[in-house]
Amino acid sequence: MDLHLAVDFSRESGESLTSQIQEFIREEIREGGLHPGTRLPATRRLAVDLGVSRSVVVEAYAQLAAEGYLEAARGAGTRVTGHLSPDEVVPALLDGAPAGRALWDLRPGGHNAPGVPHCEWLTAYERALNAPRAPAPAYPPLAGEPELRVELARHLGRLRGVRTTPETVLVVSGFAQALALLCVALPARGITELAVEDPCHPGQRRFVHDSGVLRPVPVPVDEDGIDVDALAATGVRAVLATPNHQFPTGAVLSAERREALVRWARAVDGWIVEDDYDGGLWYDGRAPRPLALQRLAPDRVVHAGTAGKLLDPGLRLGWLTAPGELLHELLRVRARHDLGGDSLTQRAFAELLRSGLYDRHIRRLARRCADRSEALREAVGARLPGAVVTGPAAGLHAWVRLPPRTDEAALVTGAQRRGVLLRGGAAFSAAPRPAAPALVVGHSHLPRSGVAEAVRVIGEVLSRR
């Protein structure tokens, strides 16, 4: 590898070239200019670039390696030694600080994502790269690549029952950007409060609050989904909801409440933001897959989805559908912040949808999740007396209701001490004291034996309380 390294030194200095190179690299590492794991040029290459003898660089590298600043391995070159990085900055939509090492991580979230199916994704990228295309404009279309908008309209209509057209689809960088755009566009329509489910994703509640223009208003959720009567009593004109698989309880909004929610939106001239976060990942054979709420009121519902949950959060690829007037406002807001998303990734995802590879991935993922969900239910039944997994078999996580009077916080802490990372229901609630103790368990990324072993540890901790 012909790597480059900028080194500041002087031939007029009384200090040797070796010492100057050593001190420069040492200082760059201390000050953060050279990061842990950074690969440095080979001694021969750096010597040529600096116009010095190779022995000067060899000696400098050797001394820095002896001091622990550099490490060398055969075939891997010389790198800055890895060490503990400073505290990580956690984005608002992520829940909690990074955790230490653990045997089993049952927390829902990015670490619970299944990961990109490599063969399918590589195939889609190759086809996107090789497809004949007209000369591209300087920047990608602000609303997204036309071919992806076409495929998303088809996919959402077929799988989720969404009533949309390519012209009303906006491709965004994940749900976080969709929510950020809405936090600007809704206040422009006189809306200053946004109802959020309680419990819900704490990062979303915090994200809305931190926008500085919308105030989050918690509304309770029960086994039939969000309480529409309680919503109406708040006086708000917009709500963020997960009607198809409530996060985190798993409740599905009942047919009666769906109709009531739409009536509420029309009565208050309001908006419903439908977060279809897990894309209809449904493997409960006892009940049909719920369709999108948007189909009942395309003029009042913003339907949003993401590839991050079912593929990989690192893709930063999401979408929303909105009526024309609101969509135009969202585009105006976006134009003030960026110039569109990654065209190549969008075209590859369009190919993934068009070819059926994405559907194949979802079917494969559903089979895996069904197996892990069954393992979780069996383990809870055997190891956690009085606990029950509620809600349908769907998505990447499950809500486990604990026996009454269980000390949820102590259980979570005790499990963590034994190498099992958990999230308790209280972490998702806006109320200081949730109605009942519970656990939110991410399971899709674990082996079946891992699910059983993690629940066994939790059961042992619970039995000692």
Side-chain angles (χ1 to χ4, degrees):
M1 277 187 161
D2 290 339
L3 302 175
H4 294 274
L5 176 65
V7 178
D8 186 20
F9 69 99
S10 172
R11 298 183 188 276
E12 307 303 323
S13 170
E15 188 178 2
S16 71
L17 294 177
T18 296
S19 295
Q20 289 186 63
I21 294 172
Q22 283 176 17
E23 183 55 33
F24 179 83
I25 295 177
R26 188 184 293 117
E27 190 66 17
E28 286 298 293
I29 294 173
R30 287 172 177 167
E31 297 297 323
L34 289 174
H35 299 269
T38 299
R39 186 170 180 176
L40 300 187
T43 54
R44 190 182 305 277
R45 169 53 59 191
L46 184 58
V48 171
D49 289 346
L50 299 181
V52 300
S53 168
R54 184 188 178 197
S55 63
V56 170
V57 179
V58 169
E59 185 179 347
Y61 275 18
Q63 181 60 34
L64 290 169
E67 295 175 9
Y69 287 98
L70 300 180
E71 56 188 2
R74 183 179 296 276
T78 301
R79 298 176 185 271
V80 177
T81 304
H83 57 76
L84 293 178
S85 59
D87 291 341
E88 185 176 346
V89 176
V90 182
L93 280 183
L94 300 184
D95 179 26
R101 297 177 62 85
L103 295 174
W104 305 110
D105 189 346
L106 271 60
R107 299 171 301 164
H111 32 270
N112 189 31
V116 173
H118 291 176
C119 291
E120 288 89 339
W121 192 239
L122 287 172
T123 298
Y125 252 99
E126 183 178 15
R127 291 176 182 173
L129 284 168
N130 293 333
R133 292 181 57 81
Y139 291 100
L142 197 59
E145 286 293 317
E147 59 195 275
L148 178 55
R149 297 170 74 192
V150 168
E151 294 303 328
L152 280 171
R154 292 171 176 170
H155 171 77
L156 294 173
R158 174 172 52 81
L159 183 67
R160 309 300 298 120
V162 173
R163 305 287 170 81
T164 190
T165 66
E167 292 72 28
T168 58
V169 174
L170 171 59
V171 181
V172 291
S173 298
F175 181 73
Q177 186 179 43
L179 187 55
L181 296 175
L182 287 163
C183 283
V184 177
L186 291 176
R189 293 171 171 264
I191 294 174
T192 59
E193 297 175 316
L194 180 66
V196 295
E197 297 170 324
D198 187 20
C200 75
H201 193 309
Q204 288 185 356
R205 188 168 54 239
R206 188 165 59 250
F207 190 93
V208 173
H209 177 271
D210 291 348
S211 72
V213 288
L214 282 178
R215 184 175 72 90
V217 178
V219 177
V221 168
D222 60 25
E223 63 275 7
D224 290 321
I226 191 168
D227 186 332
V228 181
D229 290 336
L231 171 65
T234 65
V236 304
R237 291 178 46 224
V239 60
L240 170 60
T242 52
N244 306 306
H245 185 223
Q246 203 276 331
F247 187 86
T249 68
V252 177
L253 192 64
S254 67
E256 294 77 13
R257 289 197 182 174
R258 286 172 180 255
E259 294 173 359
L261 188 56
V262 168
R263 287 197 301 271
W264 164 84
R266 296 195 190 285
V268 301
D269 187 25
W271 294 94
I272 303 165
V273 181
E274 179 181 21
D275 179 8
D276 196 29
Y277 65 95
D278 59 10
L281 183 62
W282 191 267
Y283 39 92
D284 189 339
R286 300 168 300 173
R289 182 196 312 268
L291 296 177
L293 177 70
Q294 185 266 2
R295 62 189 282 108
L296 299 181
D299 59 326
R300 287 293 166 188
V301 179
V302 177
H303 180 89
T306 175
K309 294 295 187 294
L310 301 190
L311 286 174
D312 191 299
L315 285 176
R316 306 314 306 140
L317 181 63
W319 51 85
L320 61 81
T321 69
E325 185 180 349
L326 179 58
L327 183 68
H328 294 155
E329 178 61 29
L330 292 169
L331 286 170
R332 284 193 291 270
V333 173
R334 184 176 192 178
R336 299 198 293 267
H337 297 279
D338 67 31
L339 296 173
D342 176 359
S343 290
L344 179 57
T345 298
Q346 290 184 34
R347 298 202 304 268
F349 189 61
E351 176 60 33
L352 208 65
L353 293 172
R354 179 169 49 245
S355 63
L357 293 174
Y358 188 62
D359 282 70
R360 185 167 75 180
H361 167 67
I362 291 177
R363 288 185 182 278
R364 187 166 55 229
L365 181 58
R367 289 193 295 270
R368 176 185 177 89
C369 289
D371 180 68
R372 303 311 188 266
S373 176
E374 179 185 26
L376 177 65
R377 291 173 187 271
E378 290 175 355
V380 167
R383 300 287 186 176
L384 302 180
V388 61
V389 180
T390 65
L396 305 173
H397 77 282
W399 178 266
V400 180
R401 192 173 63 234
L402 297 171
R405 295 183 296 280
T406 298
D407 189 334
E408 178 189 298
L411 177 60
V412 170
T413 301
Q416 182 171 338
R417 287 175 180 155
R418 298 192 56 179
V420 177
L421 299 182
L422 289 171
R423 285 283 184 267
F428 301 84
S429 178
R433 293 184 179 179
L439 299 175
V440 184
V441 177
H443 54 66
S444 67
H445 61 301
L446 298 175
R448 186 180 179 95
S449 59
V451 174
E453 175 61 19
V455 175
R456 182 190 67 77
V457 172
I458 297 169
E460 290 182 353
V461 174
L462 183 61
S463 66
R464 296 174 182 175
R465 296 287 160 188

